[in-house]
Amino acid sequence: MNKTKVDFPNNFRQNISIQKINKCYSNFSKSELEMKNITVKVAGRLIFKRIMGKASFLVIQNIHAKIQLYIAEKNITNKKYKEILKNLNHGDIIGVKGILFKTNTQELSIKCNTVVSLVRSTKHLPNKFQELSNQEIRYRQRYLDLIMNKKSKNTFKMRSKIVNCIRNHMIDLNFIEVETPMMHKISGGGLAKPFITHHNALNMNLYLRIAPELYLKQLIIGGFEKIFEINRNFRNEGISINHNPEFTMMEFYAVYIDYQDLMTIVENLISSVVKKLFNRYTIEYKSILLNFKPPFHKISMQDAICKYHSDIKNTDLNDLKKITHIAKKFNIQINSQWGIGKLQEIIFSEIIQSHLIQPTFIFDYPTEVSPLAKCKNDNNFLTERFELFINGNEIGNGFSELNDPKEQKTRFLQQEKNKKLGEKIFMQYDANYLLALEYGLPPTAGCGIGIDRFIMLLTNNTNIRDVIFFPTLRTPQKTRT
């Protein structure tokens, strides 16, 4: 004999949201609500049920709020009180209709006359009295995390606010939002290891983009003057608390400015987002009070190394033998092909970066590690480039754009040479980008900002997986049954 199929209705409509009920009627007194006799229809997930004979209390929630339900046998219009409660399980989605009232303890509630089961949860929710604390389950089953953990819900609602705030700030500055390809013929735009895919119809390998930089600058060549893009980048590197292989970045470009102007734009963006969201410039991150009030601290890379290690002198950093000795002293694994610029950058990233807690711009990066940045007018060894660090992590990377096609070709050829010498991270030669440069890239500066890391700071999270809905995870090990 076939079991009777349970049909769940698809025609239940809310006339108000749970959050609006709480916002509009929480301050009403018990007598005021009785006089108004307000009928509401809402739906949500059942997270609590307490049966007390002929009357019961339930709680339903959505992503924003929750509300208590009062269900009494005498109030149910279809007279199936016991049957309704018997068939309701934690996790079910239900719709209710009833009158708003306040209990003797002054809790805003709905006195239900209709209860409709909209969908059955056939899996048991985790312990309803505790938040879901198993980190592995939280990342692999984000839906459970969002059902059970208020902090996670708030994190992702805040994420949306932060991204919208960034976008609105850029639009207010007359930047135009654009979209560029996710799949590239050339692995370019950044020094990182790419993901490779294959296009069957064209029978060609493509790369998931490391950065949108080269396409965005082609739009500048085409006549756009202020543009930005918020989208995904992909880097086939390690997984850590600060790095997910798929991550969100904003890149933006503006003509007739340089890296000094760019630092001011970034500084104003970061500080204004914090001020708008928190109504202050300071936020507490773990046990640290971060201060985003401009101006941010600015220091050159070489000066930063000398500041945090006073036994190192600027002259040491510009002598190949001495800087190699310094790197070895700190047990840094080095490549014999690296020049002074690369050694400076690796010493900085390995031993200095972690000291940069408050928002700090590090500027004047070596040309050797900046293949797309314009050199300083008075020093070809250095470029007009900066990175923004907060709590020891890079948040942004920007520079005055190299717009000389001959020099850019030389830089690309050097990257090809680095590859032949065994360098694993290099930038591919891009003939199409060089062709575009020959039509003239106006004086331009551009910056990329890591959205996920910025969101980690503003939501007080220490793991990047906590701010990405579905982070990249290792395949779980099979367990014995």
Side-chain angles (χ1 to χ4, degrees), residues 189-191 213-214 217 366-374 383 385 399 401-402 407-412 414-415 418 426-427 433:
L191 288 172
E213 178 169 342
L214 301 186
K217 287 192 282 194
T367 304
E368 185 180 352
V369 294
S370 311
L372 298 170
K374 182 186 284 288
T383 59
R385 177 186 168 196
F399 42 83
E401 303 297 334
L402 175 58
E407 173 63 19
Q408 186 64 77
K409 182 177 181 179
T410 300
R411 303 269 192 98
F412 280 152
Q414 181 60 51
Q415 290 293 309
N418 293 346
F426 60 91
M427 192 175 296
Y433 178 64

Side-chain angles (χ1 to χ4, degrees), residues 17-19 22 61-66 150 153-154 157:
S17 64
I18 297 174
Q19 57 269 33
N22 289 325
Q61 72 174 23
N62 62 18
I63 194 68
H64 299 293
K66 60 185 178 180
K150 184 177 180 180
K153 286 194 287 278
N154 289 340
K157 287 192 288 184

Side-chain angles (χ1 to χ4, degrees), residues 285-286 288 290 353-354 356-359 389-393 395 457:
Y285 180 73
K286 296 186 286 187
I288 304 166
L290 295 174
Q353 181 177 321
S354 60
L356 306 176
I357 304 303
Q358 297 299 329
F389 293 89
I390 307 173
N391 193 48
N393 285 317
I395 302 297
L457 295 172

Side-chain angles (χ1 to χ4, degrees), residues 48-98:
F48 178 78
K49 180 173 71 171
R50 187 173 74 222
I51 300 175
M52 303 182 302
K54 294 185 178 182
S56 302
F57 285 96
L58 284 64
V59 176
I60 60 172
Q61 72 174 23
N62 62 18
I63 194 68
H64 299 293
K66 60 185 178 180
I67 193 164
Q68 179 173 268
L69 312 177
Y70 173 71
I71 303 177
E73 186 174 16
K74 62 181 180 180
N75 296 328
I76 298 298
T77 55
N78 55 13
K79 307 301 182 184
K80 294 182 179 180
Y81 169 78
K82 291 183 180 179
E83 183 180 339
I84 288 171
L85 291 179
K86 180 182 178 181
N87 291 327
L88 289 182
N89 296 316
H90 292 104
D92 288 358
I93 307 294
I94 65 174
V96 300
K97 178 182 178 182

